[in-house]
Amino acid sequence: MAVQINPSILSADFARLAEEAEAVRGADWLHVDVMDNHFVPNLTLGVPVVESLARATDTPLDCHLMIEDPDRWAPQYVEAGASSVTFHVEAAAAPVRLAREIRAKGARASMALKPATPIEPFEDLLPELDMLLIMTVEPGFGGQAFLDIMLPKIRRTRELIGKHGLELWLQVDGGVSASTIERCADAGADVFVAGSAVYGAQDPAEAVRALRTQAEAATAQASWACDH
Ligand code: DX5
Ligand code: ZN
């Protein structure tokens, strides 16, 4: 699978979201962080904003739900126009049922792990998912430092994907930048969320292109990708 770069609008100007989406034209997805001030200590946006944003841009929306009770809310984000919906396994009451519901409604189903949540208990669940998100910071805020201690988890997840022959995308989110993206790609990630590294740049579209070039080069050298 080709490298994908998903700018996070958490670092964009919320009063100008349509223009900020346009500013990263060429990105694969727009990453939309939904926070409820319960699952994480921050509050962002909800279904009505996603609905408006979906109408305002052609770039597909990758909604990352950092909320309690995703079993209840996630399907509404599909109806609002999200093409991919990520719920946190720590918050989901019935992750298999929820993933199936998201898929049945026509979106890609994705599950996220906070830094302290291991992948191993969820090996049997991976075929139910289109993407797995490994958080490389504690969720809640943009601009935090990348957690290098997550690299072994990315590696082990990539091994599980290979072992089961899955088409699962492996996303990393948090502290991804020009100085960390190569480590992520080398470890096995293929979908990269970047907030401050994109919207903090002079030219966000150019930042997306530069990150993609770096990630592609690192993937071409990576042992996990060598067999294809
Ligand atoms: C953090 C969010 C991230 C955030 C990443 O909880 O899930 O998507 O926007 O921001 P950076 O890339 O600045 O770490
Ligand atoms: Zn996110």
Side-chain angles (χ1 to χ4, degrees), residues 3-8 11 31 133-137 141-148 150-151 154 170-185 189-200 207-208 210-212 214-215:
V3 157
Q4 300 188 67
I5 308 290
N6 300 8
S8 167
S11 296
H31 184 83
L133 164 51
I134 294 184
M135 290 302 302
T136 42
V137 298
F141 301 94
Q144 301 180 75
F146 180 80
L147 292 173
D148 265 290
M150 291 299 105
L151 290 169
I154 298 169
L170 181 50
Q171 184 178 63
V172 283
D173 181 10
V176 175
S177 69
S179 49
T180 58
I181 196 166
E182 287 160 344
R183 272 175 270 170
C184 296
D190 54 8
V191 184
F192 304 87
V193 176
S196 46
V198 168
Y199 282 106
V208 169
L211 287 170
R212 189 191 303 285
Q214 275 189 291

Side-chain angles (χ1 to χ4, degrees), residues 12-34:
D13 179 350
F14 274 24
R16 299 168 42 251
L17 283 182
E19 290 162 54
E20 296 282 65
E22 186 61 30
V24 293
R25 186 163 276 280
D28 298 281
W29 298 74
L30 272 187
H31 184 83
V32 180
D33 288 306
V34 177

